[in-house]
Amino acid sequence: DGFHWIGTTCVIYLFPEWVLSTPSKFAWANIGSIFFAILLEFTLFKRRSIYAMSPGKCRLILSALVCGIQLAMVYFIMLVIMTYSVLAIILHWSLLLGCWCIVELYTWSN
């Protein structure tokens, strides 16, 4: 049911079909969370580079498109963060680790 698993809790990860009921599913969800956070930070980086373009319709459309993608990604991350489970705290740390990794790589390259 998404709440109980062998005497402990399990987590529904974003969709009802994605129940983290085994340790391997939980590990894959952590890895996916890290990569999703990295993808979000990459999207933010690309959005900032759009502002370097010359003003015009193309820049406006690209900025709106990337902003929409960014908002959808942030919404999914919010859903992961709002998963109320002691085990889900590990998912929260995975998201933070992913964001931290890409920020460090970006600032290291500059």
Side-chain angles (χ1 to χ4, degrees):
D1 64 358
F3 293 106
H4 301 288
W5 173 56
I6 311 172
T8 185
T9 58
C10 61
V11 177
I12 294 177
Y13 186 74
L14 296 177
F15 302 104
E17 296 83 19
W18 294 1
V19 177
L20 306 180
S21 56
T22 64
S24 63
K25 287 181 182 179
F26 198 76
W28 281 110
N30 283 319
I31 292 168
S33 296
I34 290 170
F35 284 117
F36 198 72
I38 289 171
L39 184 63
L40 172 66
E41 288 296 325
F42 180 75
T43 305
L44 291 170
F45 170 73
K46 285 298 180 184
R47 186 170 177 211
R48 289 183 199 116
S49 68
I50 290 172
Y51 293 122
M53 296 172 58
S54 61
K57 232 178 210 182
C58 182
R59 176 177 148 181
L60 180 65
I61 291 170
L62 277 175
S63 180
L65 180 68
V66 174
C67 182
I69 292 169
Q70 176 188 347
L71 287 174
M73 293 174 74
V74 168
Y75 180 74
F76 280 117
I77 288 176
M78 180 198 65
L79 289 176
V80 172
I81 294 296
M82 291 182 68
T83 303
Y84 299 112
S85 172
V86 174
L87 296 175
I89 292 174
I90 298 170
L91 290 173
H92 303 162
W93 283 104
S94 298
L95 289 168
L96 291 173
L97 177 66
C99 289
W100 176 78
C101 286
I102 197 69
V103 166
E104 286 299 316
L105 286 174
Y106 174 71
T107 54
W108 182 64
S109 65
N110 289 335

